[in-house]
Amino acid sequence: MITDNPTAWLQGILTERQCQTGTLHRTNSDGLLELVAAIGVPDHLLPVISNIPFGKGIAGAAAESREPVELCNLQQNLGGVAKKKARDTKVSGSLAVPIFSSDGERVLGTLGVGMIQPHDFTEEEKKSLAEEAIKVAQAWES
């Protein structure tokens, strides 16, 4: 269950999608994306991604734009949203989606996945991850 063991839940998401890294952030009372779970992120980056402002990095860009944010090859192109240190993850293909409240008004957080190899995420893959984000919202709001 998402709320009981978010790391185990996130691992299931990664396994299903053949991804090597993932993050789950929840919007806190200060309006920052607070890290709930991370897999495959180097330890020295955890403090950097623990509290992310909307608009900063891939997760923050997804939260601010209220749209999925994708990078095909983070190692070659930061896409104008990722920070240089993001390359330390060794991830190439990256996708983050916002998690919306049930009324669609608020961004409750973000869900992100990454692959070591370059990858263009399909519309179906984006839709599938967005569906997982709905499950997160339902769990957080219940």
Side-chain angles (χ1 to χ4, degrees):
M1 185 70 185
I2 299 161
T3 54
D4 296 335
N5 191 340
T7 302
W9 175 84
L10 182 58
Q11 183 60 62
I13 296 298
L14 299 182
T15 300
E16 287 174 22
R17 289 161 179 76
Q18 300 179 338
C19 292
Q20 293 76 45
T21 65
T23 59
L24 177 63
H25 286 88
R26 187 171 189 171
T27 306
N28 67 21
S29 60
D30 294 328
L32 297 172
L33 294 169
E34 185 174 322
L35 187 64
V36 173
I39 295 174
V41 176
D43 289 344
H44 72 278
L45 290 181
L46 292 175
V48 176
I49 66 167
S50 290
N51 288 289
I52 300 173
F54 278 37
K56 300 293 181 185
I58 299 167
E64 184 176 69
S65 69
R66 302 175 59 93
E67 296 287 337
V69 172
E70 171 193 9
L71 293 174
C72 171
N73 191 342
L74 177 62
Q75 296 303 312
Q76 292 183 357
N77 179 357
L78 297 174
V81 296
K83 302 295 181 192
K84 266 190 160 177
K85 281 202 170 273
R87 289 185 172 139
D88 291 356
T89 62
K90 306 296 183 218
V91 167
S92 289
S94 181
L95 172 64
V97 296
I99 300 168
F100 295 107
S101 58
S102 58
D103 62 8
E105 294 294 315
R106 293 174 292 122
V107 175
L108 301 178
T110 60
L111 173 59
V113 297
M115 297 178 158
I116 299 301
Q117 66 278 9
H119 184 75
D120 281 317
F121 288 88
T122 65
E123 289 304 315
E124 183 56 37
E125 288 171 317
K126 293 175 193 174
K127 180 180 174 191
S128 175
L129 197 62
E131 288 169 357
E132 294 297 339
I134 291 169
K135 293 176 189 175
V136 174
Q138 290 169 342
W140 284 349
E141 290 184 316
S142 64

